[in-house]
Amino acid sequence: YWYAANAFLTTFWTTLSALFPAGETFFIDSVKNYRHVVTDQKLKDEISGFIGQEALHTKEHQAFNDMADRHGLPSGRIDKELWGLLDLTKKVFPKKLQLATTVALEHYTAILAEQLLRDTDHQENIQDREALKLWMWHALEENEHKVVAYDVYRQVGGGYLHRILTMLVVTLFFFAVVGSGHLRLLAADRKLFDIKGNLKGFW
């Protein structure tokens, strides 16, 4: 248990990692949909940086997820299911809604990144040095490109009401997906009914 020697917290962060490969590929695709209409050179350069960083995050978290699989946690299964859900989303949702979804989810990743970068207790809780390197690197890069999808959204005429309504719906799905994935990882680790440990982690 690499986070605070606690099963609840370790499986929570491992759940987030399981969602990153499919999620960040979706982010890349939603921004790429509008890359050709962006005229501002600074934003075009930022888009290139965004795509490169997200692609590397996908690669490194896939390796992290493979490690979790080897420890009996079904990260690969959760990842595969999210790929299917997001592939369906890309077929059904308009491109601007896909971009608004990315803006909403990037807001959450930016919150998590800032929390990790600012809170030394948070950093100290990541007791495995390699895991700390991965999460700190990811947090730094999320902080660097946190406004890119938003800037693209605004440039292509994305409105406030559309963005806020999307944020509300995405928030419900985000908590549902993370919550169900977390429960599955806890169950796989045989810690689902460790009431004391789970309450401590939740607190």
Side-chain angles (χ1 to χ4, degrees):
Y1 299 125
W2 54 266
Y3 193 102
N6 182 273
F8 182 92
L9 291 168
T10 297
T11 51
F12 172 75
W13 287 96
T14 304
T15 301
L16 291 182
S17 181
L19 302 174
F20 282 141
E24 299 201 313
T25 301
F26 178 85
F27 297 170
I28 290 169
D29 292 343
S30 71
V31 170
K32 273 185 176 178
N33 286 336
Y34 290 100
R35 192 179 193 178
H36 65 287
V37 302
V38 173
T39 55
D40 178 68
Q41 188 58 49
K42 182 174 180 291
L43 184 53
K44 287 171 79 171
D45 292 343
E46 289 173 348
I47 290 169
S48 295
F50 173 87
I51 291 169
Q53 287 179 331
E54 295 289 44
L56 276 175
H57 298 166
T58 296
K59 178 176 177 289
E60 293 302 323
H61 278 279
Q62 187 59 63
F64 189 86
N65 297 342
D66 291 343
M67 181 269 299
D69 273 337
R70 290 195 297 274
H71 283 80
L73 301 177
S75 296
R77 206 173 316 136
I78 290 170
D79 176 46
K80 186 177 179 181
E81 290 168 3
L82 187 60
W83 278 101
L85 177 62
L86 294 179
D87 282 344
L88 178 63
T89 299
K90 284 189 267 191
K91 291 174 185 173
V92 174
F93 285 4
K95 289 180 180 177
K96 192 170 286 185
L97 184 54
Q98 294 175 41
L99 183 59
T101 299
T102 293
V103 172
L105 290 169
E106 279 285 275
H107 186 72
Y108 279 120
T109 57
I111 289 170
L112 291 167
E114 186 167 344
Q115 181 190 39
L116 178 56
L117 293 170
R118 287 181 181 271
D119 189 344
T120 53
D121 288 341
H122 194 359
Q123 296 166 25
E124 289 167 6
N125 279 333
I126 303 178
Q127 295 163 342
D128 180 271
R129 305 314 296 173
E130 292 304 310
L132 179 61
K133 287 179 190 176
L134 171 67
W135 289 98
M136 289 296 287
W137 163 72
H138 193 156
L140 283 165
E141 294 202 344
E142 286 296 331
N143 199 49
E144 282 179 7
H145 69 231
K146 63 184 178 182
V147 297
V148 174
Y150 173 72
D151 287 345
V152 173
Y153 177 79
R154 289 190 64 189
Q155 185 154 121
V156 300
Y160 176 78
L161 183 61
H162 181 254
R163 179 166 58 88
I164 296 306
L165 290 174
T166 302
M167 184 77 182
L168 291 172
V169 175
V170 166
T171 296
L172 295 175
F173 276 97
F174 177 72
F175 280 98
V177 169
V178 172
S180 63
H182 189 199
L183 290 174
R184 289 168 65 184
L185 261 62
L186 278 170
D189 196 39
R190 298 180 180 177
K191 294 291 184 179
L192 186 58
F193 299 107
D194 176 11
I195 305 301
K196 184 179 178 181
N198 291 339
L199 284 174
K200 180 182 177 183
F202 187 78
W203 179 254

